[in-house]
Amino acid sequence: METRYRLAAGPEAGCRMGLPGIGAVVHAMACLLLAGLLAACQVPAVEGESPEAAVRAAEAAGQPATGKLPIIVNLAVGDGSGTGAAARVMERLAAIMPAGELAAVRTFSLFPVIALDADGELIARLLEMPEVASIERDHELRRPEPQPVLRAQ
């Protein structure tokens, strides 16, 4: 078997040229696995989907079908507490939302977030507020089913 040597000046001088080491193979496999996992986690976008189909899909998923989505509003608190930012956002929401919908808005004492159902217009208004850092869609978290435990005796 013929061995090739690299002609170079510096730290690579005289090094053998061969197949990539096991570290490079493991690194490549990990990258492929990560890319596959990321692709599997993405929600497929349906082009040309009508609003009626989106409403039916939301109803099937147990979400409100009124054209509103459950969202989480992440507040920008800086050095202060989240309660002050939440109070200022709630004051602005009281001016633009009906009382019945305002009663369904949830604030949290431990986290600087507000949870509510909003349509596109309300989301646009929220994004204009300086206290709002970001908005993301809320989804229900389900606790995994307990797995049976096998014990060795």
Side-chain angles (χ1 to χ4, degrees):
M1 185 164 122
E2 183 179 310
T3 303
R4 295 183 194 172
Y5 288 93
R6 192 174 295 144
L7 295 175
E12 296 178 359
C15 293
R16 285 181 46 189
M17 292 178 60
L19 296 175
I22 190 71
V25 173
V26 169
H27 182 73
M29 293 300 292
C31 289
L32 287 174
L33 178 66
L34 182 61
L37 288 173
L38 287 174
C41 292
Q42 296 295 322
V43 177
V46 179
E47 289 189 34
E49 183 179 27
S50 68
E52 294 81 17
V55 168
R56 283 193 300 273
E59 286 175 345
Q63 297 171 350
T66 60
K68 295 186 177 191
L69 294 173
I71 61 169
I72 298 288
V73 179
N74 297 306
L75 302 174
V77 294
D79 293 334
S81 70
T83 55
R88 288 189 299 275
V89 171
M90 289 301 292
E91 287 174 7
R92 291 191 188 108
L93 287 176
I96 59 175
M97 288 179 70
E101 292 180 10
L102 188 64
V105 176
R106 297 173 308 278
T107 59
F108 302 91
S109 59
L110 294 177
F111 303 107
V113 297
I114 297 174
L116 67 143
D117 292 335
D119 58 1
E121 181 182 338
L122 183 58
I123 292 172
R125 286 187 174 190
L126 284 166
L127 286 172
E128 292 173 355
M129 296 180 188
E131 292 87 5
V132 175
S134 65
I135 295 177
E136 60 188 71
R137 187 169 181 179
D138 193 7
H139 59 278
E140 181 179 346
L141 295 177
R142 295 180 189 228
R143 196 170 82 187
E145 295 293 324
Q147 300 296 321
V149 178
L150 300 175
R151 298 183 191 261
Q153 294 188 14

